Amino acid sequence: MVADALIGRVVGGRYRVERKLGTGGLACVYEAEHLGLGKRVAIKLIDERFAESAEISARFRREARLASVLE
C-alpha cells in the first residue's frame, strides 16, 4: 500500500495511522493511535515484497516481541 494512503486509515481494526516516522530496508514505521486505549504507539509495517518470506517474517516477529518489552 502506498505510504501516503495509510495516513488517517485504521490498520488492524485498532490503530489509526497519524504520520510516517521513517522507512528502512524492509518496513516503514508510523505513529498511530491505539483506538481502544487512546494511546500513541509506533507501528511497523513490513513491505509487501518481503511478507511472503518465512525468514524475514520470523525476524520481524522477533523484533516486535523484543520491542514490546521495552515499554
Side-chain angles (χ1 to χ4, degrees):
M1 184 174 284
V2 178
D4 292 345
L6 286 174
I7 306 304
R9 292 189 62 183
V10 175
V11 175
R14 65 182 117 186
Y15 303 102
R16 182 177 28 254
V17 178
E18 301 293 331
R19 67 186 177 109
K20 185 176 182 179
L21 297 174
T23 302
L26 301 177
C28 292
V29 179
Y30 298 90
E31 178 182 347
E33 178 184 359
H34 187 291
L35 297 173
L37 301 176
K39 180 179 176 181
R40 292 275 185 224
V41 297
I43 58 172
K44 187 173 186 179
L45 300 175
I46 194 167
D47 188 301
E48 62 188 19
R49 295 175 296 166
F50 304 108
E52 297 298 319
S53 167
E55 181 181 338
I56 292 174
S57 293
R59 187 171 110 195
F60 194 77
R61 283 191 299 278
R62 279 193 307 274
E63 182 181 311
R65 275 192 223 95
L66 289 172
S68 72
V69 301
L70 295 177
E71 184 182 355

Coordinates of all heavy atoms in Angstrom, one line a residue:
M1 N 0.8 -1.2 0.0 CA 0.0 0.0 0.0 C 0.9 1.2 0.0 O 1.9 1.3 0.7 CB -0.9 0.0 1.3 CG -1.9 1.1 1.3 SD -3.0 1.0 2.7 CE -4.1 -0.3 2.1
V2 N 0.5 2.3 -0.7 CA 1.3 3.5 -0.8 C 1.3 4.2 0.6 O 0.2 4.3 1.2 CB 0.7 4.4 -1.9 CG1 1.5 5.7 -1.9 CG2 0.7 3.8 -3.2
A3 N 2.4 4.6 1.1 CA 2.5 5.2 2.4 C 1.5 6.3 2.7 O 0.9 6.3 3.7 CB 4.0 5.6 2.7
D4 N 1.4 7.2 1.8 CA 0.5 8.3 2.0 C -0.9 7.9 2.1 O -1.7 8.5 2.8 CB 0.7 9.4 0.9 CG 2.0 10.1 0.9 OD1 2.7 10.0 1.9 OD2 2.3 10.7 -0.1
A5 N -1.3 6.8 1.5 CA -2.6 6.3 1.5 C -3.0 5.7 2.9 O -4.1 5.6 3.3 CB -2.8 5.2 0.5
L6 N -2.0 5.4 3.8 CA -2.2 4.9 5.1 C -2.6 6.0 6.1 O -3.3 5.7 7.1 CB -1.0 4.2 5.6 CG -0.7 2.8 5.1 CD1 0.6 2.3 5.6 CD2 -1.8 1.9 5.4
I7 N -2.2 7.2 5.9 CA -2.4 8.3 6.8 C -3.9 8.5 7.0 O -4.7 8.7 6.0 CB -1.8 9.6 6.3 CG1 -0.3 9.4 6.1 CG2 -2.0 10.8 7.4 CD1 0.5 8.9 7.2
G8 N -4.4 8.5 8.2 CA -5.8 8.6 8.5 C -6.6 7.3 8.5 O -7.8 7.3 8.9
R9 N -6.0 6.3 8.0 CA -6.7 5.0 7.9 C -6.5 4.2 9.2 O -5.6 4.4 9.9 CB -6.2 4.2 6.7 CG -6.6 4.9 5.4 CD -6.3 4.1 4.2 NE -7.1 2.8 4.3 CZ -7.0 1.9 3.4 NH1 -6.2 2.0 2.4 NH2 -7.7 0.8 3.5
V10 N -7.5 3.3 9.4 CA -7.4 2.3 10.6 C -6.8 1.0 10.1 O -7.2 0.5 9.1 CB -8.8 2.1 11.2 CG1 -8.7 1.1 12.3 CG2 -9.3 3.4 11.7
V11 N -5.7 0.6 10.8 CA -5.0 -0.6 10.4 C -5.2 -1.6 11.5 O -5.2 -1.3 12.7 CB -3.5 -0.3 10.3 CG1 -2.7 -1.6 10.0 CG2 -3.2 0.7 9.2
G12 N -5.5 -2.9 11.1 CA -5.7 -3.9 12.0 C -6.9 -3.8 12.9 O -7.0 -4.4 14.0
G13 N -7.8 -2.9 12.5 CA -9.1 -2.7 13.3 C -8.9 -1.9 14.6 O -9.8 -1.6 15.3
R14 N -7.6 -1.4 14.9 CA -7.4 -0.7 16.1 C -6.4 0.4 16.1 O -6.3 1.1 17.1 CB -7.1 -1.7 17.2 CG -5.8 -2.4 17.0 CD -5.5 -3.4 18.1 NE -5.5 -4.7 17.5 CZ -5.4 -5.9 18.1 NH1 -5.3 -5.9 19.4 NH2 -5.3 -7.0 17.5
Y15 N -5.7 0.6 15.1 CA -4.7 1.6 15.0 C -5.0 2.6 13.9 O -5.0 2.3 12.7 CB -3.3 1.0 14.7 CG -2.9 0.0 15.7 CD1 -3.0 -1.4 15.5 CD2 -2.4 0.4 17.0 CE1 -2.6 -2.3 16.4 CE2 -2.0 -0.6 17.9 CZ -2.1 -1.9 17.6 OH -1.8 -2.9 18.5
R16 N -5.2 3.9 14.3 CA -5.4 4.9 13.3 C -4.0 5.6 13.0 O -3.4 6.1 13.9 CB -6.3 6.0 13.7 CG -6.5 7.1 12.6 CD -7.5 8.2 12.8 NE -7.7 8.6 14.2 CZ -8.8 8.3 15.0 NH1 -9.8 7.6 14.5 NH2 -8.9 8.7 16.2
V17 N -3.6 5.5 11.8 CA -2.2 6.0 11.4 C -2.3 7.5 11.3 O -3.1 8.1 10.6 CB -1.8 5.4 10.0 CG1 -0.5 5.9 9.6 CG2 -1.8 3.8 10.1
E18 N -1.3 8.1 12.0 CA -1.3 9.6 12.1 C -0.2 10.1 11.1 O -0.5 11.1 10.4 CB -1.0 10.0 13.5 CG -2.0 9.6 14.5 CD -3.3 10.2 14.3 OE1 -3.4 11.3 13.8 OE2 -4.3 9.6 14.7
R19 N 1.0 9.5 11.1 CA 2.0 10.1 10.3 C 3.2 9.0 10.1 O 3.3 8.2 11.0 CB 2.6 11.4 10.8 CG 3.4 11.3 12.1 CD 3.8 12.6 12.6 NE 4.5 12.5 13.9 CZ 5.8 12.7 14.0 NH1 6.5 13.1 13.0 NH2 6.3 12.6 15.2
K20 N 3.9 9.2 9.1 CA 5.0 8.3 8.8 C 6.3 8.8 9.6 O 6.6 10.0 9.5 CB 5.3 8.3 7.3 CG 6.4 7.3 6.9 CD 6.5 7.3 5.4 CE 7.5 6.3 4.9 NZ 7.6 6.3 3.4
L21 N 6.9 7.9 10.3 CA 8.1 8.3 11.0 C 9.4 8.0 10.3 O 10.4 8.7 10.4 CB 8.1 7.6 12.4 CG 7.0 8.0 13.3 CD1 7.1 7.1 14.6 CD2 7.0 9.5 13.7
G22 N 9.4 6.9 9.5 CA 10.6 6.6 8.8 C 10.5 5.3 8.0 O 9.5 4.6 8.1
T23 N 11.5 5.1 7.1 CA 11.5 3.9 6.3 C 12.8 3.2 6.4 O 13.8 3.9 6.3 CB 11.2 4.3 4.8 OG1 10.0 5.0 4.7 CG2 11.2 3.1 3.9
G24 N 12.8 1.9 6.4 CA 14.0 1.1 6.4 C 14.0 0.2 5.2 O 13.2 0.4 4.3
G25 N 14.9 -0.7 5.2 CA 15.1 -1.6 4.1 C 13.9 -2.6 3.9 O 13.6 -3.0 2.8
L26 N 13.3 -3.0 5.0 CA 12.2 -4.0 5.0 C 10.8 -3.4 5.4 O 9.8 -4.1 5.1 CB 12.6 -5.1 5.9 CG 13.9 -5.9 5.7 CD1 14.1 -6.9 6.8 CD2 13.9 -6.5 4.3
A27 N 10.8 -2.3 6.0 CA 9.5 -1.8 6.5 C 9.4 -0.3 6.7 O 10.5 0.4 6.6 CB 9.3 -2.5 7.9
C28 N 8.3 0.2 7.0 CA 8.0 1.6 7.4 C 7.5 1.7 8.8 O 6.7 0.8 9.2 CB 7.0 2.2 6.4 SG 7.6 2.4 4.7
V29 N 7.8 2.7 9.5 CA 7.3 2.9 10.9 C 6.4 4.1 10.9 O 6.8 5.2 10.3 CB 8.5 3.1 11.9 CG1 8.0 3.3 13.3 CG2 9.4 1.9 11.8
Y30 N 5.3 4.0 11.5 CA 4.3 5.1 11.6 C 3.9 5.4 13.0 O 4.0 4.5 13.9 CB 3.0 4.6 10.9 CG 3.2 4.4 9.4 CD1 3.5 3.1 9.0 CD2 3.1 5.4 8.5 CE1 3.7 2.8 7.6 CE2 3.2 5.1 7.1 CZ 3.6 3.8 6.7 OH 3.8 3.6 5.4
E31 N 3.6 6.6 13.3 CA 2.9 7.0 14.5 C 1.5 6.7 14.4 O 0.9 7.1 13.3 CB 3.2 8.5 14.9 CG 2.5 8.9 16.1 CD 2.7 10.4 16.4 OE1 3.5 11.0 15.8 OE2 2.0 10.9 17.3
A32 N 0.9 6.1 15.4 CA -0.6 5.8 15.3 C -1.2 5.9 16.7 O -0.5 6.1 17.7 CB -0.8 4.4 14.8
E33 N -2.5 5.9 16.7 CA -3.3 5.9 17.9 C -4.0 4.6 18.1 O -4.6 4.1 17.2 CB -4.3 7.0 17.9 CG -5.1 7.1 19.2 CD -6.2 8.1 19.2 OE1 -6.4 8.8 18.2 OE2 -7.0 8.1 20.2
H34 N -3.7 4.0 19.2 CA -4.5 2.7 19.6 C -5.9 3.2 19.9 O -6.1 3.9 21.0 CB -3.8 2.0 20.7 CG -4.4 0.7 21.0 ND1 -5.7 0.5 21.5 CD2 -4.0 -0.6 20.8 CE1 -6.0 -0.8 21.6 NE2 -4.9 -1.5 21.2
L35 N -6.9 2.9 19.1 CA -8.2 3.4 19.3 C -8.9 3.0 20.6 O -9.6 3.7 21.2 CB -9.1 3.1 18.1 CG -8.6 3.7 16.8 CD1 -9.4 3.2 15.6 CD2 -8.6 5.2 16.9
G36 N -8.6 1.7 21.0 CA -9.2 1.2 22.3 C -8.6 1.8 23.5 O -9.3 2.0 24.5
L37 N -7.3 2.2 23.5 CA -6.6 2.7 24.7 C -6.4 4.2 24.6 O -6.1 4.8 25.6 CB -5.3 2.0 24.8 CG -5.3 0.5 24.9 CD1 -3.9 0.0 25.0 CD2 -6.1 0.1 26.2
G38 N -6.6 4.8 23.5 CA -6.4 6.2 23.3 C -4.9 6.6 23.5 O -4.5 7.6 24.0
K39 N -4.0 5.6 23.2 CA -2.6 5.8 23.4 C -1.8 5.9 22.1 O -2.2 5.2 21.1 CB -2.1 4.5 24.2 CG -0.7 4.5 24.5 CD -0.4 3.2 25.3 CE 1.1 3.1 25.5 NZ 1.4 1.9 26.2
R40 N -0.8 6.7 22.1 CA 0.1 6.9 20.9 C 1.0 5.7 20.9 O 1.6 5.3 21.9 CB 0.9 8.1 21.0 CG 0.1 9.4 20.9 CD -0.1 9.7 19.4 NE -0.8 10.9 19.2 CZ -1.7 11.1 18.4 NH1 -2.1 10.1 17.6 NH2 -2.3 12.3 18.2
V41 N 1.2 5.1 19.7 CA 2.0 3.9 19.5 C 2.8 4.1 18.2 O 2.5 4.9 17.4 CB 1.2 2.6 19.5 CG1 0.5 2.3 20.8 CG2 0.3 2.6 18.3
A42 N 3.9 3.3 18.1 CA 4.6 3.2 16.8 C 4.2 1.9 16.2 O 4.2 0.9 17.0 CB 6.1 3.3 17.0
I43 N 3.9 1.8 15.0 CA 3.6 0.6 14.3 C 4.6 0.4 13.1 O 4.9 1.4 12.5 CB 2.1 0.4 13.9 CG1 1.7 1.5 12.9 CG2 1.2 0.3 15.0 CD1 0.3 1.3 12.3
K44 N 5.0 -0.8 12.9 CA 6.0 -1.0 11.9 C 5.3 -2.0 10.9 O 4.8 -3.1 11.3 CB 7.2 -1.7 12.4 CG 8.3 -1.8 11.4 CD 9.6 -2.3 12.2 CE 10.8 -2.4 11.2 NZ 12.0 -2.8 12.0
L45 N 5.2 -1.6 9.6 CA 4.5 -2.4 8.6 C 5.6 -2.9 7.6 O 6.2 -2.1 7.0 CB 3.4 -1.6 7.9 CG 2.3 -1.1 8.9 CD1 1.4 -0.2 8.1 CD2 1.6 -2.2 9.5
I46 N 5.7 -4.2 7.5 CA 6.6 -4.8 6.6 C 6.2 -4.6 5.1 O 5.0 -4.6 4.8 CB 6.8 -6.3 6.9 CG1 8.0 -6.9 6.2 CG2 5.5 -7.1 6.5 CD1 8.4 -8.3 6.7
D47 N 7.2 -4.3 4.3 CA 6.9 -4.1 2.9 C 6.4 -5.4 2.3 O 6.9 -6.5 2.6 CB 8.2 -3.7 2.2 CG 8.0 -3.3 0.8 OD1 7.5 -4.1 0.0 OD2 8.4 -2.2 0.4
E48 N 5.3 -5.3 1.5 CA 4.6 -6.5 1.0 C 5.6 -7.3 0.1 O 5.3 -8.5 0.0 CB 3.4 -6.1 0.2 CG 3.6 -5.2 -1.0 CD 2.4 -4.7 -1.7 OE1 1.3 -4.7 -1.0 OE2 2.4 -4.3 -2.8
R49 N 6.7 -6.8 -0.4 CA 7.6 -7.6 -1.2 C 8.3 -8.6 -0.3 O 8.7 -9.6 -0.8 CB 8.7 -6.7 -1.8 CG 8.2 -5.7 -2.8 CD 9.3 -4.8 -3.2 NE 9.7 -4.0 -2.1 CZ 10.9 -3.3 -2.0 NH1 11.7 -3.3 -3.0 NH2 11.2 -2.6 -1.0
F50 N 8.3 -8.4 1.0 CA 9.0 -9.3 1.9 C 8.1 -10.1 2.8 O 8.5 -11.0 3.5 CB 10.0 -8.5 2.8 CG 11.0 -7.7 2.1 CD1 10.9 -6.3 2.0 CD2 12.0 -8.3 1.4 CE1 11.8 -5.6 1.3 CE2 12.9 -7.6 0.6 CZ 12.8 -6.2 0.6
A51 N 6.8 -9.9 2.7 CA 5.8 -10.5 3.6 C 5.7 -12.0 3.4 O 5.4 -12.7 4.3 CB 4.4 -9.9 3.4
E52 N 6.1 -12.5 2.2 CA 6.0 -13.9 1.9 C 7.2 -14.7 2.4 O 7.2 -15.9 2.4 CB 5.8 -14.1 0.4 CG 4.5 -13.5 -0.1 CD 3.2 -14.2 0.5 OE1 3.2 -15.4 0.7 OE2 2.3 -13.4 0.8
S53 N 8.2 -14.0 2.7 CA 9.5 -14.7 3.2 C 9.3 -15.2 4.6 O 9.1 -14.4 5.5 CB 10.7 -13.8 3.1 OG 11.8 -14.3 3.7
A54 N 9.4 -16.5 4.8 CA 9.3 -17.0 6.2 C 10.4 -16.5 7.1 O 10.1 -16.2 8.3 CB 9.3 -18.6 6.1
E55 N 11.6 -16.4 6.6 CA 12.7 -16.0 7.4 C 12.6 -14.5 7.8 O 12.7 -14.2 9.0 CB 14.0 -16.1 6.6 CG 15.2 -15.7 7.3 CD 16.5 -15.9 6.5 OE1 16.5 -16.6 5.5 OE2 17.5 -15.2 6.8
I56 N 12.2 -13.7 6.9 CA 12.0 -12.3 7.2 C 10.8 -12.1 8.1 O 10.9 -11.3 9.0 CB 11.9 -11.4 5.9 CG1 13.2 -11.4 5.2 CG2 11.5 -10.0 6.2 CD1 13.2 -10.8 3.8
S57 N 9.7 -12.8 7.9 CA 8.6 -12.7 8.8 C 8.9 -13.1 10.2 O 8.5 -12.5 11.1 CB 7.4 -13.5 8.2 OG 6.9 -13.0 7.0
A58 N 9.7 -14.2 10.3 CA 10.1 -14.6 11.7 C 11.0 -13.6 12.4 O 10.8 -13.3 13.5 CB 10.8 -15.9 11.6
R59 N 11.9 -13.0 11.6 CA 12.7 -11.9 12.2 C 11.9 -10.7 12.6 O 12.1 -10.1 13.7 CB 13.8 -11.5 11.1 CG 14.8 -10.6 11.6 CD 15.9 -10.4 10.6 NE 15.8 -9.0 10.1 CZ 16.4 -8.6 9.0 NH1 17.1 -9.4 8.3 NH2 16.3 -7.4 8.6
F60 N 10.9 -10.4 11.8 CA 10.0 -9.3 12.1 C 9.3 -9.5 13.4 O 9.1 -8.6 14.2 CB 9.1 -9.1 10.9 CG 8.3 -7.8 10.8 CD1 8.9 -6.6 10.4 CD2 7.0 -7.8 11.2 CE1 8.2 -5.4 10.4 CE2 6.3 -6.6 11.2 CZ 6.9 -5.4 10.7
R61 N 8.7 -10.7 13.5 CA 8.0 -11.1 14.8 C 8.9 -11.0 16.0 O 8.5 -10.6 17.1 CB 7.3 -12.4 14.6 CG 6.1 -12.4 13.8 CD 5.3 -13.7 13.9 NE 6.1 -14.9 13.4 CZ 6.2 -15.2 12.1 NH1 5.6 -14.5 11.2 NH2 6.9 -16.3 11.8
R62 N 10.1 -11.5 15.9 CA 11.1 -11.5 17.0 C 11.4 -10.1 17.4 O 11.4 -9.7 18.6 CB 12.4 -12.2 16.6 CG 12.4 -13.7 16.7 CD 13.8 -14.3 16.7 NE 14.6 -13.8 15.5 CZ 14.6 -14.4 14.3 NH1 13.8 -15.5 14.1 NH2 15.3 -13.9 13.3
E63 N 11.6 -9.2 16.4 CA 11.9 -7.8 16.7 C 10.7 -7.2 17.4 O 10.8 -6.4 18.3 CB 12.2 -7.1 15.4 CG 12.5 -5.6 15.6 CD 12.8 -4.9 14.3 OE1 13.5 -5.4 13.4 OE2 12.2 -3.8 14.0
A64 N 9.4 -7.5 17.0 CA 8.2 -6.9 17.6 C 8.1 -7.4 19.0 O 7.8 -6.6 19.9 CB 7.0 -7.3 16.8
R65 N 8.4 -8.6 19.3 CA 8.3 -9.1 20.7 C 9.3 -8.4 21.6 O 9.0 -8.0 22.7 CB 8.6 -10.6 20.7 CG 7.4 -11.5 20.4 CD 7.6 -12.9 20.8 NE 7.0 -13.8 19.7 CZ 7.7 -14.2 18.7 NH1 8.9 -14.0 18.5 NH2 7.1 -15.0 17.8
L66 N 10.5 -8.2 21.1 CA 11.6 -7.6 21.9 C 11.2 -6.1 22.1 O 11.4 -5.6 23.2 CB 12.9 -7.7 21.1 CG 13.6 -9.0 21.1 CD1 14.8 -9.0 20.2 CD2 13.9 -9.5 22.5
A67 N 10.7 -5.4 21.1 CA 10.3 -4.0 21.2 C 9.2 -3.9 22.2 O 9.1 -2.9 23.0 CB 9.9 -3.4 19.9
S68 N 8.3 -4.9 22.3 CA 7.1 -4.7 23.2 C 7.5 -4.8 24.7 O 6.8 -4.2 25.5 CB 6.1 -5.8 22.9 OG 6.6 -7.1 23.3
V69 N 8.6 -5.4 25.0 CA 9.1 -5.4 26.4 C 9.8 -4.2 26.8 O 10.0 -4.0 28.0 CB 9.9 -6.7 26.7 CG1 9.2 -8.0 26.4 CG2 11.2 -6.6 26.0
L70 N 10.1 -3.3 25.9 CA 10.8 -2.1 26.2 C 9.9 -1.0 26.8 O 10.4 0.0 27.3 CB 11.5 -1.5 25.0 CG 12.6 -2.4 24.5 CD1 13.2 -1.8 23.2 CD2 13.7 -2.6 25.5
E71 N 8.6 -1.1 26.7 CA 7.7 -0.1 27.1 C 8.0 0.2 28.6 O 8.0 1.2 29.1 CB 6.2 -0.5 26.9 CG 5.3 0.5 27.3 CD 3.9 0.1 27.2 OE1 3.6 -1.0 26.7 OE2 3.0 0.9 27.5

